[in-house]
């Protein structure tokens, strides 16, 4: 009797080992294991090899778990039949179901899921031995499983229908803890932006041509120098005859070095000879491609054109970096009106503020596929030019048109869903 009880306890411990190992080794973060492996952690290497053979590992652990659970139940049944007769079968079923569920499943799996890395690293060497010992049986079982799948026309080697690596990474980013922490929100926005570099086009982040500072190359050199001094930018497009006809990119340092060499005698200064060649790119260029092109060409400035070759705007290396890290400001940047928070939870937003900036800042989900700016979104949704004072509801957000200059929407009040519900609660 005592020997049987000791054996049952030992088998329950083995059951806990198999259950906890399975949970830890399937739940542990593969990127974290890879990082530990790169630092020389031998146990992490074992975990990585086990994960590479996941069907064999899971089969071995399930085999071991079922064997010990069935054996423990058989021993308990024999003990209780001897004590209670035929009723011992029912007693053994109830008792072992409770014991296996509690000590063989819930407790070890709950601990393993909360401490997956530590448990996986601790148990991996033993699991490796178990997998090696059970490999003849598990290989036979896996062959039978594949045969059954083929019999029913199922593809056991099919791709994950739930999505590839990008979707998995995005899901992991969204599950980042401490979502209320500002630094975590910023990190999450940066990670999202890195994944979006292949999907966002330069036309969505460029500085529109109406906001680009350009200089007529035919102006007197003294006036060009004065305009460069008055500008906060170091690179300025030069044009002739029409602002669409950009003939060069003037760098302020090159200009001032030339001014220094002529001792202030600007009349004979050839401005165009100081300018670099303009670099034109299509508006549909993905940000990642443009970032790589900036690095390859060792340039920071490009001109964006549409399919007809008309100038749309400019994009710089800083614009792309700001898509990843957020706004980069220095002492020479111009103060641009953008977003102003209101006491009622709404925001007064300039029409040219991009939807991506709003989504990044406030973690909203406004669509940016059809329109890049707030004004563009309103025009796209309404299919007309709205009047000042009109109110619209799009995507659970409220849009109040505050100002308009001719056909251009310049200011909109945006009320997110949470603020509207809070206002309703206060009024009622």
């Amino acid at each position: 009797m005592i020997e049987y009880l000791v054996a049952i306890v030992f088998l329950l411990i083995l059951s806990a080992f198999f259950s906890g190992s399975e949970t830890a080794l399937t739940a542990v973060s593969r990127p974290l294991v890879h990082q530990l492996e790169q630092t020389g952690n031998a146990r992490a290497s074992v975990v990585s090899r086990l994960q590479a053979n996941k069907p064999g590992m899971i089969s071995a652990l399930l085999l071991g778990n079922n064997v010990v659970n069935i054996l423990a139940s058989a021993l308990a049944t024999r003990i209780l039949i001897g004590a209670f007769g035929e009723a011992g079968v029912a007693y053994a079923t109830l008792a072992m179901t409770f014991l296996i569920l509690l000590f063989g499943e819930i407790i070890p799996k709950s601990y393993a899921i909360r401490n997956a890395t530590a448990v996986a690293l601790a148990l991996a060497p033993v699991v490796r031995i178990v997998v090696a010992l059970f490999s003849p049986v598990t290989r036979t079982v896996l062959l039978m499983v594949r045969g059954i799948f083929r019999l029913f026309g199922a593809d056991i080697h099919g791709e994950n229908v739930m999505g590839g690596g990008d979707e998995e990474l995005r899901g992991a980013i969204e599950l980042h803890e401490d979502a209320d922490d500002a630094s975590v929100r910023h990190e999450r926005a940066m990670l999202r932006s890195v994944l979006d570099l292949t999907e966002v086009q330069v036309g969505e982040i460029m500085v529109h041509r109406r906001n680009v500072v350009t200089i007529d190359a035919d102006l007197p050199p003294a006036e060009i120098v004065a305009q460069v001094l008055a500008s906060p930018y170091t690179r300025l497009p030069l044009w002739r005859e029409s602002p669409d006809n950009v003939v060069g990119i003037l760098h302020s340092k090159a200009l001032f070095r030339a001014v220094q060499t002529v001792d202030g005698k600007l009349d004979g200064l050839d401005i165009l000879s100081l300018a670099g060649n303009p670099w034109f790119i299509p508006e549909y260029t993905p940000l990642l491609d443009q970032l790589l092109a900036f690095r390859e060409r060792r340039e920071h400035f490009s001109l964006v054109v549409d399919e007809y070759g008309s100038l749309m705007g400019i994009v710089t290396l800083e614009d792309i970096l700001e898509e990843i890290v957020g706004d980069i400001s220095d002492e020479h940047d111009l103060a641009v009106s953008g977003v102003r928070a209101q006491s009622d939870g709404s925001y007064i937003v300039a029409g040219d503020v991009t939807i991506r900036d709003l989504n990044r800042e406030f973690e909203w989900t406004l669509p940016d596929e059809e329109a890049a700016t707030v004004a563009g979104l309103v025009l796209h949704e309404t299919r007309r030019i709205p009047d000042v004072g009109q109110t619209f509801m799009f995507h659970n957000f409220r849009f109040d048109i505050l100002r308009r200059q001719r056909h251009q929407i310049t200011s909109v009040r945006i009320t997110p869903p949470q603020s509207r519900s809070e206002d309703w609660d206060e009024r009622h």
Side-chain angles (χ1 to χ4, degrees):
M1 179 72 72
I2 299 298
E3 294 82 359
Y4 286 167
L5 291 176
V6 172
I8 291 173
V9 171
F10 177 69
L11 291 171
L12 286 174
I13 293 173
L14 287 180
S15 178
F17 163 77
F18 287 121
S19 297
S21 299
E22 179 193 355
T23 300
L25 288 168
T26 53
V28 67
S29 168
R30 293 186 64 183
L32 178 57
V33 170
H34 178 72
Q35 182 63 29
L36 293 173
E37 188 178 4
Q38 294 299 309
T39 61
N41 190 310
R43 289 176 179 260
S45 299
V46 177
V47 174
S48 182
R49 287 195 294 272
L50 288 171
Q51 288 184 327
N53 181 30
K54 187 171 287 187
M57 176 191 71
I58 293 177
S59 298
L61 292 174
L62 288 176
L63 175 61
N65 201 16
N66 280 279
V67 167
V68 298
N69 287 343
I70 293 172
L71 184 54
S73 299
L75 293 176
T77 301
R78 179 169 181 177
I79 294 173
L80 294 177
I81 286 178
F84 300 100
E86 293 299 326
V89 176
Y91 296 152
T93 300
L94 293 174
M96 291 311 299
T97 298
F98 174 76
L99 292 175
I100 291 174
L101 184 64
L102 182 62
F103 296 105
E105 296 291 334
I106 295 178
I107 291 178
K109 287 189 173 183
S110 298
Y111 181 82
I113 199 69
R114 288 173 172 79
N115 304 274
T117 303
V119 173
L121 294 175
L123 300 182
V126 182
V127 173
R128 180 177 60 177
I129 297 173
V130 171
V131 171
L133 290 174
F134 289 171
S135 61
V137 179
T138 56
R139 287 175 183 172
T140 304
V141 171
L142 288 175
L143 287 174
M144 295 173 61
V145 169
R146 292 191 182 99
I148 294 172
F149 270 106
R150 291 195 190 99
L151 181 63
F152 289 96
D155 184 9
I156 193 173
H157 300 294
E159 295 293 330
N160 182 3
V161 298
M162 296 304 293
D166 274 5
E167 287 77 10
E168 187 175 353
L169 283 174
R170 292 180 190 276
I173 291 169
E174 297 305 323
L175 288 175
H176 202 305
E177 296 180 356
D178 300 324
D180 293 333
D181 186 271
S183 62
V184 171
R185 288 201 304 271
H186 181 64
E187 291 171 1
R188 194 160 58 185
M190 287 177 59
L191 292 171
R192 287 198 207 102
S193 298
V194 170
L195 294 177
D196 287 342
L197 287 181
T198 57
E199 300 177 3
V200 180
Q201 300 170 349
V202 294
E204 300 178 53
I205 71 161
M206 69 180 182
V207 179
H208 194 272
R209 57 178 293 173
R210 71 171 178 271
N211 298 321
V212 176
V213 177
T214 60
I215 298 177
D216 184 355
D218 293 326
L219 291 174
E223 188 170 343
I224 292 177
V225 171
Q227 289 190 24
V228 172
L229 283 172
S231 170
Y233 308 112
T234 57
R235 295 174 177 83
L236 296 153
L238 296 176
W239 56 272
R240 270 184 170 168
E241 298 178 0
S242 167
D244 278 334
N245 183 32
V246 177
V247 294
I249 305 298
L250 181 62
H251 197 294
S252 59
K253 286 188 177 180
L255 175 63
F256 296 143
R257 278 196 296 265
V259 169
Q260 189 176 32
T261 59
V262 298
D263 295 326
K265 299 176 182 178
L266 303 179
D267 292 337
L269 194 62
D270 186 0
I271 299 295
L272 270 181
S273 66
L274 305 174
N277 294 325
W279 177 19
F280 298 96
I281 63 171
E283 61 177 323
Y284 303 112
T285 305
L287 293 191
L288 181 59
D289 292 350
Q290 187 57 34
L291 182 61
L292 296 175
F294 275 138
R295 185 177 67 176
E296 182 179 349
R297 293 176 59 119
R298 299 176 182 270
E299 295 190 34
H300 296 181
F301 187 99
S302 60
L303 299 157
V304 182
V305 295
D306 63 12
E307 57 186 312
Y308 303 106
S310 300
L311 181 66
M312 301 288 293
I314 65 169
V315 67
T316 66
L317 177 61
E318 182 177 314
D319 293 329
I320 298 180
L321 294 179
E322 285 183 341
E323 281 299 300
I324 301 174
V325 302
D327 187 44
I328 302 173
S329 301
D330 59 36
E331 65 274 18
H332 299 297
D333 282 344
L334 293 176
V336 180
S337 60
V339 181
R340 288 181 288 128
Q342 305 299 300
S343 59
D344 61 356
S346 64
Y347 299 86
I348 295 180
V349 183
D352 59 357
V353 171
T354 66
I355 299 171
R356 283 179 54 77
D357 287 342
L358 290 176
N359 289 342
R360 179 206 300 271
E361 180 68 22
F362 305 112
E363 297 203 335
W364 292 348
T365 56
L366 291 172
D368 58 358
E369 293 83 7
E370 302 295 337
T373 64
V374 170
L377 178 63
V378 172
L379 294 176
H380 173 74
E381 295 292 343
T382 60
R383 305 295 179 179
R384 58 193 176 91
I385 300 175
D387 296 323
V388 173
Q390 285 189 295
T391 298
F392 303 94
M393 291 293 299
F394 308 134
H395 311 288
N396 292 325
F397 286 75
R398 172 174 168 171
F399 293 78
D400 298 290
I401 311 302
L402 300 183
R403 288 199 302 274
R404 196 185 87 182
Q405 292 182 358
R406 300 185 65 185
H407 303 307
Q408 179 184 357
I409 300 171
T410 58
S411 182
V412 179
R413 181 192 297 273
I414 301 178
T415 306
Q418 184 178 1
S419 299
R420 289 190 289 102
S421 62
E422 290 175 354
D423 291 345
W424 192 91
D425 290 340
E426 290 177 1
R427 291 194 300 270
H428 295 79

